[in-house]
Amino acid sequence: QVQVAESGGGSVQAGGSLRLSCTASGHTSNMYGIGWHRRAPGKEREFVAAIDWSGGSTWYEKSVKGRFTISRDSAKNTVYLQMNSLKPEDTAVYFCAAQRYSDPKGTYDVWGQGTQVSVSS
């Protein structure tokens, strides 16, 4: 069983940057990849970005492409989400999740508790 835990959320002004971390533990060898998702107030949870664990292929939601970068440090079992040029509409609880099979924008098996990101105008 894999567990994931997020860290690095906080408050920032528009145009600022934050870096989120997602650390995986347990049987990470069974894991295909990690995805970041977010849930803004009053909205459904949405996909943000994903990376496969072995090859480093990445996927992004259109609204964050060019501003957010997902990366991994396999030695630390950690995936990062570097968020630049943040906008108030990026305000949300951000979740990382692990999946066993290749489905970057689909089903995830294990979820973290989430970390709050707040962007003020």
Side-chain angles (χ1 to χ4, degrees):
Q1 181 74 349
V2 173
Q3 296 85 40
V4 293
E6 308 92 341
S7 61
S11 298
V12 66
Q13 288 191 325
S17 299
L18 283 172
R19 189 177 79 161
L20 305 182
S21 299
C22 175
T23 300
S25 60
H27 296 290
T28 57
S29 60
N30 295 334
M31 191 168 60
Y32 173 78
I34 293 282
W36 283 98
H37 302 73
R38 66 187 179 187
R39 184 173 63 233
K43 294 188 177 181
E44 297 289 317
R45 187 173 62 198
E46 65 172 355
F47 169 82
V48 175
I51 188 167
D52 80 277
W53 200 247
S54 59
S57 297
T58 58
W59 298 263
Y60 294 94
E61 194 271 330
K62 188 182 295 186
S63 70
V64 307
K65 202 167 187 178
R67 299 188 298 123
F68 292 10
T69 302
I70 191 169
S71 62
R72 81 202 190 287
D73 184 333
S74 299
K76 295 182 179 179
N77 281 351
T78 299
V79 168
Y80 303 101
L81 185 68
Q82 178 67 44
M83 305 185 295
N84 298 329
S85 301
L86 282 161
K87 304 175 181 179
E89 51 264 44
D90 294 317
T91 294
V93 178
Y94 284 71
F95 301 87
C96 75
Q99 62 180 190
R100 291 174 292 170
Y101 305 106
S102 175
D103 189 13
K105 298 184 180 182
T107 302
Y108 284 78
D109 303 292
V110 177
W111 291 82
Q113 295 294 312
T115 185
Q116 177 70 46
V117 170
S118 299
V119 184
S120 59
S121 58

